[in-house]
Amino acid sequence: MNTDSTNESHAAYDFAYVQEKWLPVWDRVQPFKSGRPEDPRPKKYVLDMFPYPSGDLHMGHAEAYALGDVIARYWIQKGFNVMHPIAWDAFGLPAENAAIKRNEDPKIWTYENIAVQKASMRRFACSFDWDRVFNTCDPEYYKWNQWLFLQLHERGLAYRKDSAVNWCPGCQTVLANEQVVAGLCERCDTAVTKKKLNQWYFKITDYADRLLDDMADLEGKWPEKVLMMQRNWIGRSTGANVSFVIENRAEPVTVYTTRPDTLFGATFMVVAADSELASELALGSGVEEEFAQYCEKIRADSDIDRLATDRPKTGIFLNRFAINPVNGAKLPIWASDYVLADYGTGAIMAVPAHDQRDLDFARAMKLPVTVVVETGEEDPNSTGVATVGDGVLVNSGALNGMNKADAIAAINSQLEKDGLGKSARNYRLRDWLVSRQRYWGTPIPIIHCPACGEVPVPTDQLPLTLPNAEGLDLKPKGTSPLGAATDWVNVKCPKCGVEAKRDTDTMDTFVDSSWYYLRYPSSTNHSEPFSKKDLQTWLPVDQYVGGVTHAILHLLYSRFFTKVLNDMGMLDFKEPFTRLLNQGMVVMDGSAMSKSRGNLVRLSDELEHHGVDAIRLSMVFAGPPEDDVDWSDVSPSGSVKFLSRAWRLSGDVTSAPGVDFSKGELSLRRVTHKALHDADFAVESFRFNVAVARVMELVNATRKAIDSGAGPADPAVREAVEAIAIMLSLVAPFTAEEMWERLGHQPAVALAGWPVVDPALLVADAVTAVVQINGKIKDRIDVSPTISDAELEASALALPAIVEALSGATISKIITRAPKIVNIVINS
RNA sequence: GCCCCGAUAGCCCAAUGGCAGAGGCAGAGGACUUAAAAUCCUCCCAGUGUGGGUUCGACCCCCACUCGGGGCACCA
């Protein structure tokens, strides 16, 4: 061992020693404590998506928290009072499954993991404000989940209904629509089935328009991709509801269509086979038997079958007829599974000529196809391809000759006048199913009374805590384990006092995360979930950082909650997260890391080998934050090398702290100020990799200045190395702190402040202008940065190489952009 | 099938419509050394996926296509 920590200038950089050295110092200095009274700095709320305590931190956490930290630390250096909190999203199935396996209370596993993660975050030097921590599984937190549930219930936004719901046979619980991905359970990839159940819902559909329209405020501040995904998910469509008279039925049937202009082309009607309407129409039609068989057959089909793209159309003619309101045509009514019972009215008018699905059905069932829009495409009758473009209306009575837009307007107003229909909107978004048949979640605070019905648990009895897990069988069996806790379940009705039962379901854990960002400022408030004063100080979140996996789950639900709370007068903003950054994933050799794939990289190993700073730096420098980091492309040892180079500089500086930088050598000063300016701009625009590159450039230039330029005593060298330490403090806090000390300063470098850039130093004293002929570079000249267009043009034309190249040519035009370029256009 | 995003050196990635290269990885050579490691210095490499267009000038804007990634998927 040749390491000698007393011989500072030549000792090797020892990251392990430096890490151990600074943690206790930071614990004492507390550079990241937010919300001290009378703090005059303007606020910034930087938020990382809180983790689920599934074990120790992994590579993905390391990336996410490294990025969030760069932003938080940057704003602190820029003089803001930054709140950068953390908590744990601690309810959920993995804990429950682990508990079943280990035969113990899920809270043991959960709190153990939280302790492990918390210790790792401290070692990883996350700039969190540790005074605001909470866990969603703490009764003190979920008490407010229950309180909010009751607020929604009171407003009719939390309600129960019977419906065919998504059921995951693996998790043995129901799922919200958002939690079913391509027919599979988002959590365990089991094929989801349908089950008819009575469940709790939040009425997010009431907010569909506002969730959609308020996205205008997020434009340019959230990734376009997330906005697009939410738009698609909400799926607003505009069209018309049209009512059709049904033979031998008193009530007409209303259908929803986005193409009322094609009404004359409707040749049959289709109702969802699993709808009540279909059953009713089948009754007495003489085809009851076949209809029942058909329903039986489609019930056996899973979601996966339904999703198959080339699935042939099937259906049953119900032996009934509807009358087309515009031309009196008799339309046969069919039942099929290609029409969805829970979208629109569960019934459609089929226009096979201009809708591919209807055409496929018509061809399968030998039903007529009538073209009513002349689009110039080939006849769907012969091609089997529906024509969906704009065109001229034909075979459509008064609409003949109109284009699509005019025809829609005309038919809508005609239908409205005749009382046969009106324009309408529909959404793909469904209400949020929030009840779950599992133990480790927030109990739903409702008591079912045989006399009074749904009775809220009185708020002074909150939190309604989970019954003790001991003695309960947590194994999934399709109904909530809470049902077996008889002492807990059986209560007196708070209203009338008769024997009643508690609701035994627990809430979707996405409820917990839909408002947690409001809790941080008031995390110790015992009388309300959050105080208006705290919200006014800190909210909305200025910068949210997290994975794109939550694009339409957590981020949509949180926006919904914010709008509900806004309506309740509890907050005065409409959107919770002003800016959003989605970091990519950490992958290995192009695919997600997993034990089974054998490409798992352990964070603890990487930290052991290369140190915290080098891993943080590698994550940040690997590429743009939103791109995936392929660990096989990353060189942590390269990061270690760079950090050593930077660290070594701090031992070479021989001038004293406080020396007058303005006396320093000019060329290095220019590089320093340019680096500060560019890094600043890069961080603001999330190009952290570019910011790091600027620091590397400055390190190289400073090395050169020390070895073969201004020399170690020049004030410019100190200025440069101090700037390096400050910029590096965003990414490599241990190294930066160590450098700061070697430069003769007190901790913490995190609070040193971003050096003020001198604009005069950003202007070089000479720049190279390019002289082109017809866009091709012919020569270069060094000129003053303040040269005028005319001067530059004259100098360019005087250059011998240009004179020669221009001989015999006619100049038709000269474009000059001083001080960068002259382009001479000639006719050859 | 529909929608969105991307494609720059062996690799990861930079370039307000104005010199294609900032930074790094890998590679080659050299200095230091008894030697190696570490360190320092120097160098090599593409004309920006393809084909058109706009422009004095295009990695950048427009059109078509190829490939890759992502989202939605009978929502009428």
Side-chain angles (χ1 to χ4, degrees), chain A residues 68-354:
Chain A
D69 231 41
V70 170
I71 297 172
R73 289 168 177 272
Y74 171 76
W75 288 119
I76 292 170
Q77 295 288 20
K78 295 295 276 189
F80 286 83
N81 179 17
V82 171
M83 180 167 67
H84 185 209
I86 193 73
W88 274 270
D89 187 14
F91 268 140
L93 273 187
E96 196 163 340
N97 293 337
I100 292 164
K101 215 169 177 180
R102 295 161 49 152
N103 195 25
E104 66 179 26
D105 192 321
K107 78 167 64 134
I108 296 171
W109 183 88
T110 302
Y111 284 103
E112 276 174 7
N113 283 342
I114 289 171
V116 168
Q117 290 195 347
K118 191 172 177 182
S120 295
M121 285 172 173
R122 176 174 170 271
R123 281 195 299 277
F124 199 65
C126 292
S127 63
F128 295 134
D129 180 347
W130 293 106
D131 293 344
R132 299 180 182 278
V133 172
F134 56 83
N135 310 302
T136 58
C137 63
D138 298 338
E140 181 59 32
Y141 182 85
Y142 70 71
K143 169 186 176 177
W144 301 116
N145 268 351
Q146 293 170 333
W147 186 85
L148 288 164
F149 183 98
L150 293 178
Q151 295 298 312
L152 264 66
H153 188 251
E154 197 180 310
R155 286 164 177 76
L157 293 170
Y159 69 99
R160 289 200 305 164
K161 71 172 173 190
D162 281 315
S163 183
V165 299
N166 301 306
W167 175 261
C168 173
C171 299
Q172 287 283 304
T173 186
V174 297
L175 299 172
N177 265 15
E178 289 78 9
Q179 289 151 23
V180 180
V181 178
L184 303 178
C185 170
E186 173 240 359
R187 194 179 294 282
C188 70
D189 280 350
T190 305
V192 170
T193 60
K194 292 280 180 196
K195 218 173 180 177
K196 205 126 188 166
L197 287 174
N198 186 274
Q199 295 289 313
W200 285 100
Y201 292 82
F202 284 165
K203 217 167 184 179
I204 192 171
T205 52
D206 269 12
Y207 287 79
D209 280 322
R210 283 159 65 186
L211 287 166
L212 209 49
D213 296 338
D214 289 350
M215 266 187 253
D217 297 342
L218 305 176
E219 207 74 56
K221 300 175 190 163
W222 279 35
E224 188 47 46
K225 181 179 164 180
V226 173
L227 296 178
M228 186 203 68
M229 283 167 72
Q230 291 212 357
R231 268 188 208 106
N232 287 345
W233 188 261
I234 296 166
R236 179 163 68 194
S237 81
T238 56
N241 282 330
V242 184
S243 59
F244 284 66
V245 169
I246 308 296
E247 284 189 355
N248 305 318
R249 186 177 192 263
E251 285 294 306
V253 164
T254 301
V255 304
Y256 173 72
T257 176
T258 55
R259 293 293 304 275
D261 56 314
T262 62
L263 191 46
F264 284 86
T267 53
F268 55 100
M269 177 182 278
V270 187
V271 298
D274 55 342
S275 65
E276 281 174 27
L277 177 62
S279 313
E280 183 225 300
L281 291 174
L283 210 64
S285 63
V287 293
E288 292 93 335
E289 185 85 353
E290 290 162 272
F291 175 73
Q293 276 170 18
Y294 180 69
C295 289
E296 197 49 50
K297 182 181 128 341
I298 61 173
R299 198 166 300 138
D301 289 349
S302 70
D303 264 27
I304 301 293
D305 299 323
R306 280 187 69 102
L307 288 171
T309 46
D310 50 356
R311 193 160 178 263
K313 293 278 184 285
T314 57
I316 294 287
F317 176 44
L318 294 178
N319 221 1
R320 303 283 296 256
F321 294 90
I323 306 302
N324 188 330
V326 289
N327 59 9
K330 228 173 122 170
L331 309 180
I333 303 177
W334 288 67
S336 172
D337 65 349
Y338 89 90
V339 171
L340 305 178
D342 61 350
Y343 182 82
T345 61
I348 63 153
M349 66 177 209
V351 185
H354 307 297

Side-chain angles (χ1 to χ4, degrees), chain A residues 467-765:
Chain A
N468 208 320
E470 208 180 327
L472 282 186
D473 179 14
L474 299 186
K475 278 194 206 69
K477 50 198 167 296
T479 56
S480 173
L482 297 187
T486 34
D487 290 350
W488 184 88
V489 169
N490 294 317
V491 288
K492 298 265 191 292
C493 171
K495 258 192 192 161
C496 69
V498 308
E499 291 294 330
K501 284 187 187 303
R502 294 193 188 281
D503 198 292
T504 56
D505 283 353
T506 51
M507 292 182 211
D508 182 3
T509 56
F510 278 103
V511 175
D512 313 355
S513 53
S514 291
W515 67 279
Y516 79 107
Y517 47 91
L518 303 172
R519 181 65 182 166
Y520 286 120
S522 306
S523 59
T524 55
N525 188 329
H526 299 300
S527 55
E528 49 191 343
F530 39 83
S531 78
K532 202 138 192 179
K533 183 170 169 293
D534 287 337
L535 292 188
Q536 273 160 3
T537 306
W538 290 107
L539 271 286
V541 173
D542 296 285
Q543 180 64 58
Y544 201 19
V545 180
V548 75
T549 43
H550 292 110
I552 43 179
L553 286 155
H554 164 59
L555 290 171
L556 189 67
Y557 296 148
S558 295
R559 297 183 60 225
F560 162 60
F561 257 63
T562 300
K563 288 171 199 310
V564 172
L565 293 168
N566 179 281
D567 283 354
M568 287 165 57
M570 292 190 66
L571 31 96
D572 53 12
F573 48 92
K574 292 192 296 184
E575 289 291 336
F577 312 124
T578 307
R579 275 163 75 90
L580 174 67
L581 173 65
N582 282 135
Q583 89 276 3
M585 294 188 307
V586 184
V587 302
M588 189 64 186
D589 295 318
S591 51
M593 290 184 192
S594 76
K595 220 177 262 175
S596 56
R597 244 190 220 101
N599 64 349
L600 194 75
V601 178
R602 283 165 50 100
L603 175 60
S604 54
D605 292 348
E606 298 298 303
L607 294 176
E608 176 74 23
H609 293 137
H610 309 289
V612 169
D613 281 358
I615 297 311
R616 292 172 56 120
L617 175 68
S618 298
M619 292 292 184
V620 169
F621 184 58
E626 59 276 11
D627 288 5
D628 287 350
V629 175
D630 196 322
W631 202 245
S632 60
D633 293 330
V634 167
S635 168
S637 59
S639 297
V640 174
K641 226 164 78 180
F642 164 69
L643 291 173
S644 312
R645 268 165 73 78
W647 170 85
R648 222 175 296 119
L649 292 175
S650 63
D652 290 344
V653 173
T654 56
S655 59
V659 70
D660 185 0
F661 295 152
S662 67
K663 298 204 163 55
E665 196 246 351
L666 205 55
S667 61
L668 181 59
R669 295 204 72 205
R670 284 211 172 93
V671 178
T672 302
H673 284 253
K674 180 89 163 63
L676 284 165
H677 174 266
D678 289 1
D680 193 316
F681 183 67
V683 171
E684 298 251 7
S685 46
F686 300 150
R687 285 145 57 246
F688 309 130
N689 53 324
V690 178
V692 171
R694 291 289 98 85
V695 181
M696 288 175 166
E697 224 175 333
L698 181 56
V699 167
N700 292 342
T702 310
R703 180 80 263 156
K704 203 169 275 182
I706 291 171
D707 292 348
S708 57
D714 194 287
V717 169
R718 170 168 284 275
E719 182 180 34
V721 180
E722 290 193 352
I724 290 165
I726 291 167
M727 289 191 279
L728 226 40
S729 77
L730 314 189
V731 186
F734 292 106
T735 308
E737 195 69 84
E738 184 69 14
M739 288 177 71
W740 198 238
E741 184 189 53
R742 281 156 62 94
L743 286 164
H745 295 293
Q746 292 296 311
V749 66
L751 301 172
W754 197 264
V756 177
V757 173
D758 180 354
L761 290 171
L762 296 178
V763 186
D765 54 1

